[in-house]
Every structure is written in structure tokens, then in C-alpha cells.
Amino acid sequence: MSQSDYQKLIDGPTWAFIRETERWYPPDAVGLTIAGQREVYDRMCAAFRQPRPEGLGVEDHSMGGVPCRIYTPKGARQTMMYFHGGGFVVGGLDSHDDVCAEMAFATGFRVVSADYRLSPEHVHPAAFDDCLAATRATAADYGGALILAGDSAGGALAASVAHALRGELALNGMLLIYPGLGGDRTTGSYQTHAEAPMLTLADTEYYEKIRHGGPAPEADPTASALRDTDFSGLPPVVAFAAECDPLADDPFTYAAKVRAAGGQAEALLDEGLVHGWLRARHSVPRARAAFDRILGRLKALA
């Protein structure tokens, strides 16, 4: 898809968000050292960060040996695990602090954000192992059926954890925000949106190599949920795709497989939005509407 097409698909406020993002985190940031990438990513997230809503209890605590941040509204009954995005290379508890706080405040859910280990220091399955351990510990501590959620790389981790925990833990649902689930990169959105603003096909291939220290395993659902052969017995799925994103087809491919196996799954397209739009929810009307739709679907899952 040409840049002229994106000029039509993407509105003015979203372009302003893209330009502001690139001021902090340039499109060629993958050319920096890992430490350099983390530095500019953290600075960018700090620039967009909103204050937490008042009235939340927030504490940092180890869950299953994994550092976590727990956001607790008064009277919380539902617990949600949240796994942050960042290509398995950048991000942490602070990068998604405001997103998690706002989700907890708006839904009344307890939100447990996991600070899983990052690549390349800790290649796959380290991040998956951490998310699995934190989820098991959270279920043991708080009881009840959990919701698993995440954006981008975190969406991939949430889906893989749900596949691994079938029949072991009660899960009320999965909420995946522009996740990369291991779709076919030679076709569909991976090709039509290969040069999308905010995330390119080349970026996805770069992060995959860093995550695995080489090529990705072919048939490992702990790495990519779409590589599983069994999509039965999963909790209800709601997956959101950003239209202008190489990963846009993955939620639809995944939802179709879950439905074909007898499960409940819904994939939704956020028109005119780009990968990483969560940071735009306070500045871009389209992103605000998409975030409100996420909050509504979360309440329905509970």
C-alpha cells in the first residue's frame, strides 16, 4: 500500500500522533543498540503517559517469581492479567502503567501487569515462561476465573498462555489488541501493509529474530498461537486489529480458527488506526472510540 493510500485512510489527528511518536522513537530505531532502543522507547512512553485515575490501589509485587504491578479498584472481583507490547525487546511496567491503570479504573477489574524478561538477553521461551508463572500465581492468590489481555507482543503472549492453560485454570476470556499471532508473512496484510507507519514487515521480522536468537520455531504454540493444531477448549476471544498494520489479518485468522473449533471468538477492525495506537487514546478521537470499545468488550467478558 502506498503512502498516498495512507493519506486517505489515516486522518489528521492520527497523523499528528504518528509524527509525535516519531519525534521520540524514530522509524529507524531498530538500527540502534538494544539499550538505545529501550532508552528512546521509555522516553516516548513517558512523553505520552497520563496520570493514573485516583482511587486505585497500586503496588509492585512478585507473582510466581515475576515482578508485577497490581492495580486494585475498590471492590474488585474480576482479575485480569496484562502483558505489555514492545516486540519482546522493549517495554515494562512503566511503559503501560497508564493503560493498565485506566483499564482497572474503567472496568472495576484488578489488573496484574507482568514484567516478563526481554530479548535478546532472555530468548524464547523466557517471556512465555514468566507470563505463565505469573498467571498461575495470580490465579492461586486471587481465585476466580481470570481474563488474559495484552497488546502487540503481549497479545501474542496472552494467547499462548491461554493455549497452555486449557483444562488447568478457569479463564473468562482473552482480549488481544493488535496482536502478532504468527500469521503467514507472505500474503495478506503482511504484504499490503508491509510499509505501514509505526510498524513495517521488516520490523516484525527483526523482532522475531531477536526474540528467538534466529529463525522462529515452526510448530511451537508457546511462540505463536496460530502455530497450534488444536484451537478447542479456549475461553471466549475478542481480538482487535489496527487497519494500517502488517499484523491486521492475524486477529481474523485466529478468531476463525477458534470458531471452527467450536469456540467463541470475535475479531474487530479499528479503521484508520495504526500499530501502537493505545498511546493515542487521549489525543485521537478514533483511538478514544477504539479504547472505549475495548473497555466495553472487557466488561462483557467478565
Side-chain angles (χ1 to χ4, degrees):
M1 190 163 286
S2 71
Q3 288 304 307
S4 60
D5 290 321
Y6 287 125
Q7 293 298 332
K8 296 173 197 164
L9 281 175
I10 298 172
D11 66 9
T14 309
W15 274 116
F17 163 69
I18 292 166
R19 287 191 291 270
E20 180 65 10
T21 298
E22 291 177 347
R23 197 163 75 81
W24 299 97
Y25 195 82
D28 59 356
V30 293
L32 299 172
T33 63
I34 297 296
Q37 288 181 49
R38 289 175 184 158
E39 185 180 335
V40 295
Y41 183 81
D42 288 347
R43 211 160 46 211
M44 174 193 71
C45 291
F48 283 100
R49 188 172 304 142
Q50 300 295 312
R52 292 176 189 154
E54 291 181 11
L56 284 178
V58 183
E59 60 174 338
D60 288 357
H61 188 60
S62 175
M63 304 296 285
V66 180
C68 290
R69 183 164 294 162
I70 304 166
Y71 305 80
T72 309
K74 285 176 185 167
R77 290 191 180 91
Q78 174 69 59
T79 301
M80 180 175 85
M81 298 298 303
Y82 194 87
F83 307 126
H84 68 79
F88 307 97
V89 174
V90 299
L93 297 180
D94 291 338
S95 66
H96 288 62
D97 181 81
D98 53 345
V99 171
C100 291
E102 286 174 36
M103 284 182 166
F105 182 78
T107 60
F109 298 175
R110 176 187 297 105
V111 175
V112 180
S113 175
D115 195 14
Y116 57 84
R117 288 170 291 172
L118 299 175
S119 303
E121 297 90 340
H122 307 281
V123 295
H124 177 76
F128 168 79
D129 289 344
D130 285 357
C131 292
L132 192 63
T135 301
R136 283 179 170 141
T138 298
D141 275 19
Y142 295 112
L146 303 178
I147 291 172
L148 303 181
D151 67 287
S152 192
L157 288 163
S160 290
V161 167
H163 282 239
L165 289 175
R166 275 179 292 194
E168 179 188 334
L169 288 187
L171 299 173
N172 271 338
M174 263 190 270
L175 185 120
L176 314 176
I177 305 168
Y178 40 77
L181 299 170
D184 182 354
R185 287 203 300 267
T186 66
T187 187
S189 62
Y190 281 95
Q191 293 298 315
T192 54
H193 292 288
E195 296 298 328
M198 301 286 282
L199 185 75
T200 65
L201 174 61
D203 291 338
T204 68
E205 291 171 336
Y206 166 84
Y207 288 123
E208 183 177 89
K209 281 178 190 158
I210 297 286
R211 182 190 185 191
H212 297 287
E218 280 300 312
D220 180 1
T222 69
S224 303
L226 277 172
R227 305 290 163 86
D228 208 340
T229 54
D230 179 9
F231 292 82
S232 65
L234 292 164
V237 177
V238 185
F240 291 84
E243 182 179 18
C244 306
D245 182 351
L247 306 178
D249 285 352
D250 277 15
F252 292 92
T253 305
Y254 183 69
K257 285 183 180 287
V258 174
R259 286 195 301 268
Q264 288 178 260
E266 179 183 28
L268 299 152
L269 185 69
D270 291 317
E271 294 181 1
L273 287 180
V274 291
H275 198 83
W277 66 256
L278 271 178
R279 284 186 300 279
R281 69 198 181 282
H282 289 283
S283 60
V284 176
R286 281 181 179 178
R288 181 71 238 176
F291 189 62
D292 287 342
R293 185 158 65 157
I294 284 171
L295 296 174
R297 287 306 195 279
L298 274 175
K299 291 173 189 172
L301 283 175

